[in-house]
Amino acid sequence: MHSFARKGLVFGFASLILVTQALPAGADNLPAPFGKSTLPTKDEAAEAKRRFDAGLKLFKAKDFQGALPEFKESYRLGRKPAALRNLAQTYRELRQFPEAYEAFEWLAAEHGRALGAKDKRDVQRALKDLASVTGTLQIQIKPEGAEVAIDGKS
């Protein structure tokens, strides 16, 4: 028998301040879905900054659907904690709470040492708030090797 757990939406909503300045770069080895494992090239870093700035503009205009791919690509290319935090907050504004939780959790795990004390507290508060509106679903699967997808994710 195989089992796995996945966070999912329960109910509720809360907000957090959007990061507007880039923080120091974090870990080098970042698996999907939040990044690649090599340092960004000069061109990738420039494109990451351009996408970050575009995401900020869209977020401030409350175009969260438009901001989402900008922050995703900014983090994928440049792996700056600020881009990941803004991605998490954008998911939160879109009420995509499991994705927001996962992004904040990744931020704490991969960039915790690069965050200041206030930012660490904000991230922990966001995780606590999101934990109250998400839950964990455990599924036991028989036979071994069977695949289960929830919202298109396995």
Side-chain angles (χ1 to χ4, degrees):
M1 182 176 350
H2 179 72
S3 67
F4 68 94
R6 176 157 187 264
K7 281 257 184 227
L9 175 64
V10 176
F11 62 90
F13 180 72
S15 65
L16 184 70
I17 297 170
L18 183 70
V19 174
T20 58
Q21 295 180 356
L23 299 173
D28 294 337
N29 298 317
L30 303 174
F34 295 115
K36 56 186 182 154
S37 62
T38 59
L39 292 173
T41 65
K42 185 177 179 180
D43 289 340
E44 287 173 330
E47 180 65 8
K49 180 173 180 359
R50 188 188 72 71
R51 299 294 291 263
F52 182 85
D53 292 342
L56 277 180
K57 184 176 180 180
L58 292 164
F59 190 97
K60 288 177 183 178
K62 299 200 181 300
D63 180 358
F64 305 120
Q65 287 291 350
L68 188 68
E70 299 298 334
F71 289 135
K72 273 186 185 178
E73 189 65 3
S74 177
Y75 188 72
R76 187 188 72 77
L77 290 169
R79 289 170 314 286
K80 297 283 186 182
L84 182 55
R85 182 170 177 169
N86 289 358
L87 175 61
Q89 183 58 21
T90 302
Y91 276 130
R92 201 170 181 183
E93 293 292 338
L94 290 168
R95 301 179 66 82
Q96 295 178 11
F97 302 127
E99 291 83 358
Y101 187 96
E102 183 178 41
F104 277 117
E105 189 173 53
W106 187 258
L107 178 61
E110 292 299 319
H111 301 288
R113 286 179 275 155
L115 300 176
K118 182 186 180 312
D119 290 330
K120 286 179 185 179
R121 284 191 306 273
D122 289 346
V123 169
Q124 290 307 310
R125 185 173 44 250
L127 286 168
K128 183 179 176 185
D129 291 347
L130 288 163
S132 72
V133 296
T134 58
T136 300
L137 174 65
Q138 288 192 310
I139 300 174
Q140 296 183 342
I141 304 168
K142 286 185 181 181
E144 281 292 320
E147 290 187 29
V148 175
I150 300 172
D151 294 336
K153 296 180 182 178
S154 37

